């Protein structure tokens, strides 16, 4: 089984907490410390982004993280270096990438997924590739033992839900609401319960709810709705942003936040 499959098989009586951070924000070395702190304080898996100048779904908080990493001179090669170090430190932690298609095209599909496999990546979600155009990405991913992950949007019709369930591996990303990533204005859409039920009916892989997950009670809400876990990005990146001048304080705040969010899954 893949690391994600193994994780969800082990988490029978609790949910998964999956934090998102942008790789190399604010520097490669500090990013490594941040990721280690997150895992050491209870993260079940990691969802990681490559810094990119024109992200599709990222709100202002994560856009700022992208800019910090890019302004410091870090790009794709540095991200793969960092991923390799993270995998060496945490051989069993599932790692997924969330990124835009241009970063894949710049490497070439085969080369990109080959590098993902070599660095120990388990899954890749490309935010701006629609299902109808995903086949080349899926084929390259599977060729290199990378699980393709797809987003189920809050306005998905029945046909889209079925395709997402059939195409996703590792986990399914359920978006809480329309718009870009943000820790504010999270609201439980009335359609989420229906979408979760439909995904489950089509045997979708473990459903993780993302967008606007910033508080322990929101993690509990996601689990109570039938999700297997929750993804939190902007709230974590905000902690990094607030503590750019004090790395030790940043790590302490991140550890406390992740521990509280993980505790909500039990």
């Amino acid at each position: 089984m893949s690391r994600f499959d193994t994780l969800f098989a082990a988490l029978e009586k609790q949910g998964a907490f999956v934090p998102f951070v942008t790789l190399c924000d604010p520097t490669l070395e500090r990013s490594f410390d941040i990721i280690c702190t997150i895992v050491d304080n209870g993260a079940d898996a990691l969802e990681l982004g490559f810094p990119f100048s024109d992200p599709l779904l990222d709100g202002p908080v994560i856009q700022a993280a992208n800019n910090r990493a890019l302004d410091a001179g870090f790009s794709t090669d540095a991200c793969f270096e960092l991923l390799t170090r993270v995998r060496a430190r945490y051989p069993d932690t599932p790692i997924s990438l969330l990124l835009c298609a241009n970063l894949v095209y710049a490497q070439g599909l085969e080369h990109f997924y080959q590098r993902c496999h070599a660095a120990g990546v388990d899954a890749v979600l490309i935010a701006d590739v629609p299902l109808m155009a995903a086949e080349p990405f899926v084929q390259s991913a599977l060729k290199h033992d990378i699980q393709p992950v797809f987003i189920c949007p809050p306005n998905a019709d029945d046909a889209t839900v079925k395709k997402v369930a059939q195409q996703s591996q590792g986990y399914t990303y359920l978006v809480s609401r329309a718009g870009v990533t943000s820790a504010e204005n999270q609201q439980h859409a009335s359609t989420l319960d229906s979408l979760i039920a439909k995904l489950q009916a089509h045997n979708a892989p473990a459903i993780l709810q993302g967008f606007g997950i910033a508080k322990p009670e929101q993690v509990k809400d996601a689990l109570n709705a039938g999700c297997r876990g929750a993804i939190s990005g902007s709230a974590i990146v905000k902690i990094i942003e607030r503590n750019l001048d004090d790395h030790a304080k940043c790590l302490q705040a991140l550890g406390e936040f992740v521990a509280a969010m993980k505790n909500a899954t039990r």
Side-chain angles (χ1 to χ4, degrees):
M1 294 195 298
S2 73
R3 290 184 183 90
F4 274 105
D5 296 334
T6 300
L7 171 68
F8 291 114
L11 292 177
E12 290 185 359
K13 297 183 179 180
Q14 60 181 281
F17 177 62
V18 183
F20 170 92
V21 294
T22 298
L23 291 163
C24 298
D25 170 37
T27 69
L28 190 152
E29 291 301 329
R30 289 174 67 175
S31 183
F32 182 69
D33 291 343
I34 286 166
I35 293 169
C36 291
T37 297
I38 286 170
V39 177
D40 292 344
N41 282 276
D44 294 295
L46 295 166
E47 190 176 69
L48 304 172
F50 282 20
F52 184 52
S53 59
D54 191 24
L56 177 68
L57 293 177
D58 294 337
V61 173
I62 296 177
Q63 286 181 24
N66 289 334
N67 291 335
R68 286 193 296 270
L70 292 172
D71 290 345
F74 299 106
S75 57
T76 297
D77 288 345
C79 290
F80 277 116
E81 176 188 339
L82 181 52
L83 284 167
T84 301
R85 289 178 59 183
V86 172
R87 173 52 71 214
R89 175 71 69 91
Y90 302 103
D92 298 322
T93 300
I95 297 175
S96 175
L97 300 183
L98 171 58
L99 68 172
C100 293
N102 279 350
L103 288 167
V104 182
Y105 283 129
Q107 296 279 308
L109 269 65
E110 290 294 316
H111 184 55
F112 175 81
Y113 284 107
Q114 184 179 44
R115 293 188 78 179
C116 287
H117 177 76
V121 172
D122 299 290
V124 173
L125 192 169
I126 304 174
D128 53 347
V129 172
L131 283 163
M132 66 182 68
E135 186 59 29
F137 295 88
V138 171
Q139 289 182 356
S140 293
L142 296 178
K143 179 179 177 180
H144 296 286
D145 296 320
I146 303 296
Q147 293 183 303
V149 177
F150 290 91
I151 289 174
C152 182
N155 60 346
D157 59 21
D158 289 349
T160 299
V161 171
K162 182 178 180 180
K163 289 179 182 177
V164 168
Q166 292 173 337
Q167 291 287 339
S168 289
Q169 297 187 24
Y171 65 98
T172 306
Y173 194 127
L174 176 64
V175 173
S176 303
R177 50 164 175 76
V180 296
T181 57
S182 172
E184 279 80 35
N185 298 324
Q186 200 276 349
Q187 57 187 38
H188 181 77
S190 60
T191 57
L192 284 186
D193 290 347
S194 175
L195 286 174
I196 292 166
K198 290 175 182 178
L199 286 167
Q200 292 170 336
H202 291 299
N203 297 314
I207 302 166
L208 299 179
Q209 183 177 326
F211 276 48
I213 303 293
K215 301 175 182 178
E217 53 264 36
Q218 292 169 333
V219 175
K220 290 182 181 293
D221 288 344
L223 298 179
N224 290 336
C227 295
R228 293 296 307 276
I231 299 170
S232 179
S234 294
I236 288 178
V237 178
K238 270 191 170 183
I239 295 173
I240 298 170
E241 183 178 66
R242 285 198 301 264
N243 295 284
L244 290 172
D245 296 329
D246 192 334
H247 188 47
K249 185 178 178 182
C250 176
L251 298 181
Q252 179 181 352
L254 284 169
E256 292 171 355
F257 177 81
V258 171
M261 296 292 270
K262 176 54 191 175
N263 189 54
T265 70
R266 296 185 172 97

